[in-house]
């Protein structure tokens, strides 16, 4: 669902490039954080944050809730969140919009707001798959495979089937987006993306801790 083109490559290539949902979210979060930290002056960093919040809102409008979560999680990374001087330059409107986006994809109430948004939107859509994996784990751990009589627990199977059917419905309608090679290259180029430790060290260099 996330990378439909992967079916066109060999099994060996698939094994080499296999990524979990957590890997993908972490990779995109690093990309967003690295782009923001690439700006040396406060005004440019604040402008970059505002740009990414707009991108996240565009993702919301396109029902790409996984993209919303990736961007908002990047903005909440400690390396970005601690930049008080930078955030002071971010407009109130952008901060209000970011708060709205974070509430949409919040895990509070078992992703209550996200489930409501998905229920009310028309396809195509990209949900946050981690929400469904959490549901499946909850069912697996909390419901036995067999009844007390030793029979297959069909109630559990129906719950699992319902979740899988809901996931599959999002795979039925593709986005009609013209391929932009430059965008793809930007998203897949790992050469300039910084890891968590490097991002935090750079954050401390840009805005040192205030003396106690």
């Amino acid at each position: 669902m996330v990378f439909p083109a992967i079916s066109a490559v060999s099994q060996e290539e698939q094994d080499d490039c296999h990524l979990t949902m957590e890997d993908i979210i972490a990779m995109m979060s690093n990309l967003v954080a690295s782009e923001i930290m690439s700006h040396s002056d406060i005004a440019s960093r604040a402008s970059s944050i505002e740009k990414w919040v707009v991108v996240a809102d565009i993702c919301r409008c396109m029902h790409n809730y996984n993209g919303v979560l990736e961007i908002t999680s990047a903005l909440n990374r400690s390396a970005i969140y601690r930049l008080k001087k930078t955030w002071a330059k971010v407009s109130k409107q952008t901060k209000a919009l970011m708060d709205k986006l974070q509430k949409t994809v919040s895990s509070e109430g078992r992703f209550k707001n996200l489930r409501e948004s998905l229920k009310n939107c028309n396809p195509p859509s990209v949900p946050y798959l981690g929400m469904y994996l959490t549901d499946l784990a909850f069912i697996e751990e909390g419901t036995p495979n067999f009844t007390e009589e030793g029979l297959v627990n069909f109630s559990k199977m129906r719950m699992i089937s319902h979740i899988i059917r809901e996931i599959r419905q999002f795979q039925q309608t593709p986005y009609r987006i013209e391929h932009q090679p430059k965008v793809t290259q930007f998203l897949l180029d790992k050469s300039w993306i910084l890891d968590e430790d490097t991002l935090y060290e750079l954050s401390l260099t840009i805005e040192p801790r205030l003396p106690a």
Side-chain angles (χ1 to χ4, degrees):
M1 180 169 60
V2 180
F3 292 132
I6 199 169
S7 60
V9 301
S10 68
Q11 183 61 51
E12 183 178 353
E13 289 173 317
Q14 289 187 37
D15 292 339
D16 289 340
C17 68
H18 176 69
L19 293 170
T20 65
M21 286 302 299
E22 289 77 12
D23 290 333
I24 295 168
I25 290 174
M27 182 176 70
M28 294 307 298
S29 177
N30 276 354
L31 182 150
V32 173
S34 296
E35 198 283 327
I36 293 170
M37 298 295 283
S38 70
H39 300 279
S40 58
D41 62 285
I42 292 175
S44 294
R45 283 196 303 277
S47 177
S48 179
I49 288 173
E50 293 185 340
K51 175 193 70 178
W52 282 111
V53 172
V54 170
V55 173
D57 194 44
I58 292 172
C59 287
R60 179 191 63 81
C61 293
M62 297 181 68
H63 307 148
N64 179 1
Y65 296 102
N66 193 72
V68 175
L69 189 139
E70 288 171 342
I71 295 172
T72 55
S73 65
L75 297 173
N76 280 303
R77 298 275 287 271
S78 55
I80 304 298
Y81 187 78
R82 64 170 298 278
L83 299 175
K84 293 182 180 180
K85 293 179 182 178
T86 300
W87 282 101
K89 295 290 185 180
V90 175
S91 70
K92 291 181 179 179
Q93 293 89 339
T94 296
K95 290 176 181 177
L97 177 56
M98 181 177 167
D99 184 58
K100 174 184 175 182
L101 293 169
Q102 288 182 137
K103 287 180 179 177
T104 299
V105 294
S106 169
S107 61
E108 185 176 345
R110 294 183 60 244
F111 295 96
K112 177 184 176 181
N113 293 336
L114 178 55
R115 292 180 196 276
E116 190 66 23
S117 295
L118 288 167
K119 178 182 177 182
N120 294 325
C121 78
N122 295 318
S125 177
V126 182
Y128 171 49
L129 189 58
M131 178 180 73
Y132 294 110
L133 296 179
T134 300
D135 290 343
L136 290 171
F138 183 80
I139 294 171
E140 179 61 30
E141 294 174 6
T143 312
N145 292 326
F146 298 94
T147 66
E148 293 180 356
E149 293 77 19
L151 302 174
V152 173
N153 189 345
F154 280 101
S155 177
K156 176 179 182 177
M157 302 306 142
R158 280 193 292 271
M159 287 189 288
I160 294 174
S161 174
H162 174 75
I163 292 172
I164 293 175
R165 188 163 58 247
E166 190 169 335
I167 294 171
R168 285 182 61 84
Q169 78 176 10
F170 293 114
Q171 297 176 308
Q172 304 307 311
T173 308
Y175 281 96
R176 298 184 181 278
I177 301 175
E178 183 179 351
H179 179 229
Q180 300 291 336
K182 288 185 178 180
V183 175
T184 302
Q185 183 179 359
F186 171 74
L187 294 175
L188 298 180
D189 183 6
K190 299 179 182 180
S191 63
W192 60 277
I193 298 179
L194 307 176
D195 59 32
E196 181 71 32
D197 291 340
T198 306
L199 281 168
Y200 197 77
E201 289 174 6
L202 183 56
S203 177
L204 289 173
T205 300
I206 290 172
E207 290 191 25
R209 289 192 182 98
L210 296 174

